[in-house]
Amino acid sequence: MRRLLRSDKYLDDAFYYLGLIADRHGDPEHALRLYAQVQNGENALPALLRATTILQTHGAAAVAEELLDRLIEDEPQRAPEILAARARMYADMGDSARAIVVLQGGVKEYPDSVELRYAVASIYEEQGRIPNALHELTDLANARPDDPAALNALGYTLADHSRNLGRARELIERAYAAAPKNAAILDSLGWVLFRQGHSAEAEPI
């Protein structure tokens, strides 16, 4: 990544991944400086979201909240992604109730967002509220019966908790038929086969 910086190529990517490295090695101050230099490209928003998490966890909650509010104003088309990241930040800090409030508000505003509905289900799942998680994903799959992401989300969660494996496999196979090269769906297909006891079929998938 430093060689990329010296070559003056792919600067935004290099700053982002150097920021991630610093972040993961427990150097938040350096990570913040690096994230701040990501100006464009697909990593610009993830860099800002990681920066807000660092600020929130190191005593600058007001700054983090202000930055998140500004992000939604500046990137309205990516509001569901930003709201999901905001909720994840709260959940990682141990405030799952606040995370759910953020996500439920987001779902009301963006009812077609698979990302937000799945984020709600993920928080419920972390809380051990599996029926609530499955209810959320079932509603989503019923509302979007041809959406492979929605089908896969419900199918994987059923499989992961060994609930109604026949139904889980049916959902995942429908998702696979619609998106046969999607890595997440392939993973789910292998997982449900394994859960059903078909290890030999699951392994190559």
Side-chain angles (χ1 to χ4, degrees):
M1 292 302 156
R2 289 182 182 129
R3 284 172 59 194
L4 280 179
L5 291 182
R6 289 195 296 271
S7 70
D8 203 33
K9 295 177 181 177
Y10 303 103
L11 296 181
D12 291 307
D13 292 331
F15 281 126
Y16 175 68
Y17 287 110
L18 285 169
L20 273 184
I21 291 167
D23 203 348
R24 291 175 181 173
H25 282 82
D27 190 353
E29 187 176 337
H30 189 205
L32 277 175
R33 289 199 301 270
L34 290 161
Y35 287 143
Q37 295 180 81
V38 183
Q39 301 298 316
N40 298 291
E42 63 180 21
N43 288 320
L45 181 58
L48 284 169
L49 292 173
R50 281 301 309 154
T52 60
T53 300
I54 292 173
L55 291 168
Q56 182 83 22
T57 54
H58 287 81
V63 177
E65 297 287 352
E66 183 181 340
L67 180 55
L68 286 165
D69 289 339
R70 195 164 68 245
L71 275 176
I72 291 177
E73 290 177 7
D74 293 344
E75 301 272 359
Q77 74 280 6
R78 300 183 74 173
E81 179 184 350
I82 296 166
L83 289 168
R86 187 175 211 156
R88 171 47 51 196
M89 180 178 73
Y90 295 146
D92 288 346
M93 293 173 60
D95 195 350
S96 295
R98 191 177 185 187
I100 289 292
V101 169
V102 168
L103 291 170
Q104 288 176 337
V107 167
K108 285 182 181 178
E109 193 166 354
Y110 305 97
D112 291 332
S113 171
V114 175
E115 184 172 20
L116 284 172
R117 300 290 286 273
Y118 190 65
V120 173
S122 295
I123 300 294
Y124 283 146
E125 192 174 10
E126 290 169 14
Q127 293 176 323
R129 299 164 63 184
I130 307 307
N132 297 81
L134 291 172
H135 177 76
E136 192 72 32
L137 294 174
T138 299
D139 283 351
L140 178 62
N142 288 339
R144 301 174 66 92
D146 299 318
D147 185 336
L151 298 172
N152 182 61
L154 176 56
Y156 177 82
T157 304
L158 286 167
D160 205 36
H161 294 281
S162 295
R163 298 194 180 201
N164 200 344
L165 292 175
R167 172 69 170 151
R169 183 169 173 178
E170 175 200 345
L171 289 162
I172 294 166
E173 286 179 339
R174 282 168 56 195
Y176 174 70
K181 295 184 179 181
N182 182 287
I185 294 171
L186 284 167
D187 174 72
S188 297
L189 183 58
W191 192 230
V192 74
L193 286 168
F194 175 75
R195 287 295 206 190
Q196 288 184 314
H198 305 305
S199 299
E201 293 177 60
E203 186 175 4
I205 293 172

